[in-house]
Amino acid sequence: MHILVVGAGIIGLATAFELKTAGHAVRVIDPDPAGGASHAAAGMLAPAAETVWGQHTLHPLMVQAAADYPQFIDRIEAITTERPDYRDNATLVVAAEAADRQALNELESLQQSLGLRTERLLGSQARAAEPALAANIAGAMRFADDHQVDPRSLTAILLRYLDAELIREQAIEVLREAGTISGVRLASGRVVEGQCVVLATGLGALAGAPALPLRPVYGDIVRLRPHGGRPLIEHTVRGIVNRRPVYLVPRRDGSLVLGASSREDGRAAVNVGALHTLLDDARRLVPGVADASLLEVIARARPGTEDDVPIIERVEQGLVVSTGYFRHGILLTPFAAKATATLATGGQLPAAQQTTLSLSRFTGGHLPAQPVEAT
C-alpha cells in the first residue's frame, strides 16, 4: 500500500517507521522535519507524575504507551542499528514550600483513585536520593516507572532511517479523484500520489481536509550546561513552586533541559517573563542551576484540542488524522504510531479508543462542511 505521511514530527516519523517496517511504501512530507514541537520537547515519559483530574479517558493510553516504550526503543535499535537515548531513571516530584505540599496531597489522592502505586518522601529522603536539591524543600514523591527519552536523539535516528522517503516540501492540499483520496499537492505545484494520506501536521492545515479544533499552546524551553560539565542531577525533577510547575530533565551528556511555560497568547517568540520564572523556580529547587551556562532558549507551539486529548481517526476512506497531542506527544508516540498505522492500512481501533480519540466528539458526529484554507 502507498501511504503519504504529512508531517515529520515525532508522531509522523514513528508512524512512517511502523508503516515501512510492515512492508508498505511510504513517503514523509515536511519542509522542516522534526523542527517543531518535537525539537523542543523534554521527553518526559511520566504517566504517573503527569496525571491530572478530568482526563480519565487519556490516562490508560498514557500508561500503555509508557509500558510499550522499552520494546519500541528496542525495535528501533534492532532495525536501524542505532539506539535512541532512553533512560529509565526515576522521576521526583518536589514541593518547594510547605504550601506546595497540598499539591502533592492532591496528586497522591488522584493516583490512589486510579490504582497507582505512590511513594511519598520526606525532604531529607529526597535530598538523600538527589543531593543537588535545595536543603529546605518541603517534601517529594518518587515514581520509579516515570522515565525519559531524548526526542532529538529519537527523531534523528528515524530521520536517517526514512531519509529516502523524505520530501522536504510543504503540502498544501489533499487531492481526490472521483471522490477518492489520490494524494497531495505541494506548494511547488508537484502532485504526490498515494492511496492514503495521514495528516500528522500538528497545527498545520491543508485545503481539502476537515477543519480541526486545535489551539496553539506555546512552551518556552531552556537548555543549560552545569558548571564543570558534570551532571547536576540524576533524576528527572518535576517541581511545584508556589503552585507553579517546573521540570528539570538531565541528559546523558550532562546538559539539563528546563521547562516549560504554557502560554496561549499567540506569541511564537520566547517570552522573557516566562523565561525568568522558569529559571527562578528551577533555582529554588536546585540551587546549582544558578552556576550553569546557557546553551539554548527556544519556544514552540504544541497542538491542543478542546479537551487536551488527541485526535486519531480515519475521517474518510484514505484520510487519517493524527494530531492534538498537546503535552503528551512524546509519551504517546508508541501508541499513536501503531494506532495511526492501523487506521491507515484499513484496520480499526477498539471501540472505547474510537470514542475517546474521534474528531466527531467535537463535531456532533459530522465533519465540518467546509475544508480549511491551505497555509
Side-chain angles (χ1 to χ4, degrees):
M1 191 172 180
H2 192 179
I3 302 170
L4 309 180
V5 178
V6 183
I10 194 168
I11 300 295
L13 292 171
T15 299
F17 172 81
E18 295 291 350
L19 291 167
K20 180 177 177 178
T21 55
H24 298 282
V26 63
R27 303 300 297 273
V28 183
I29 303 170
D30 194 313
D32 183 24
S38 300
H39 183 68
M44 292 175 294
L45 311 176
E50 285 272 332
T51 300
V52 297
W53 292 102
Q55 291 191 342
H56 61 281
T57 59
L58 180 60
H59 187 258
L61 305 183
M62 295 165 62
V63 172
Q64 178 182 334
D68 288 345
Y69 241 100
Q71 184 181 18
F72 176 60
I73 296 297
D74 288 345
R75 285 185 59 234
I76 290 175
E77 182 181 24
I79 291 169
T80 69
T81 72
E82 297 185 82
R83 186 170 183 82
D85 187 3
Y86 170 81
R87 300 181 67 185
D88 59 0
N89 57 336
T91 294
L92 296 177
V93 178
V94 179
E97 309 285 349
D100 294 320
R101 280 201 297 261
Q102 179 58 33
L104 291 185
N105 295 339
E106 293 167 1
L107 178 59
E108 185 176 35
S109 176
L110 174 57
Q111 290 166 336
Q112 290 175 344
S113 74
L114 294 169
L116 297 176
R117 181 169 56 92
T118 62
E119 183 182 2
R120 195 70 176 260
L121 302 177
L122 299 172
S124 58
Q125 292 173 313
R127 290 193 300 276
E130 192 58 79
L133 290 172
N136 59 344
I137 61 169
M141 297 179 70
R142 182 178 185 272
F143 302 103
D145 297 327
D146 278 12
H147 302 153
Q148 62 138 305
V149 67
D150 183 349
R152 294 184 180 182
S153 165
L154 178 51
T155 56
I157 291 170
L158 293 177
L159 282 170
R160 285 190 286 272
Y161 176 70
L162 294 163
D163 183 67
E165 286 77 29
L166 277 173
I167 299 175
R168 296 174 183 266
E169 293 190 49
Q170 182 74 48
I172 62 171
E173 184 180 4
V174 176
L175 301 176
R176 294 169 180 79
E177 186 173 322
T180 301
I181 296 292
S182 60
V184 300
R185 189 186 312 279
L186 307 182
S188 65
R190 175 186 173 188
V191 170
V192 184
E193 296 181 346
Q195 297 167 276
C196 176
V197 174
V198 173
L199 298 180
T201 51
L203 291 158
L206 274 70
L212 301 175
L214 300 173
R215 71 191 198 282
V217 184
Y218 290 92
D220 303 282
I221 306 288
V222 184
R223 282 173 166 78
L224 306 173
R225 175 74 63 188
H227 178 66
R230 300 182 62 182
L232 189 58
I233 55 176
E234 294 295 334
H235 298 78
T236 296
V237 174
R238 300 179 61 88
I240 306 165
V241 183
N242 296 324
R243 304 289 293 196
R244 292 186 302 268
V246 63
Y247 58 72
L248 302 93
V249 183
R251 293 286 188 246
R252 288 195 188 278
D253 66 359
S255 64
L256 195 64
V257 182
L258 168 62
S261 64
S262 186
R263 301 183 284 106
E264 299 190 42
D265 55 10
R267 299 167 61 185
V270 172
N271 182 278
V272 173
L275 174 61
H276 177 271
T277 299
L278 287 174
L279 288 169
D280 197 45
D281 289 349
R283 181 193 56 78
R284 169 65 181 84
L285 295 171
V286 181
V289 163
D291 293 324
S293 301
L294 183 64
L295 295 178
E296 180 185 50
V297 182
I298 59 174
R300 290 292 189 273
R302 297 156 290 190
T305 63
E306 295 173 14
D307 58 7
D308 294 335
V309 177
I311 300 167
I312 310 176
E313 185 176 18
R314 185 170 53 239
V315 295
E316 65 177 276
Q317 191 63 34
L319 183 60
V320 177
V321 173
S322 184
T323 188
Y325 292 92
F326 190 27
R327 295 182 298 115
H328 304 303
I330 308 301
L331 168 59
L332 290 174
T333 292
F335 166 80
K338 287 184 178 180
T340 306
T342 294
L343 295 175
T345 54
Q348 298 288 343
L349 302 183
Q353 292 180 7
Q354 291 181 41
T355 300
T356 297
L357 301 169
S358 70
L359 172 61
S360 59
R361 73 185 189 268
F362 303 114
T363 63
H366 302 282
L367 293 179
Q370 295 295 326
V372 296
E373 294 297 322
T375 58

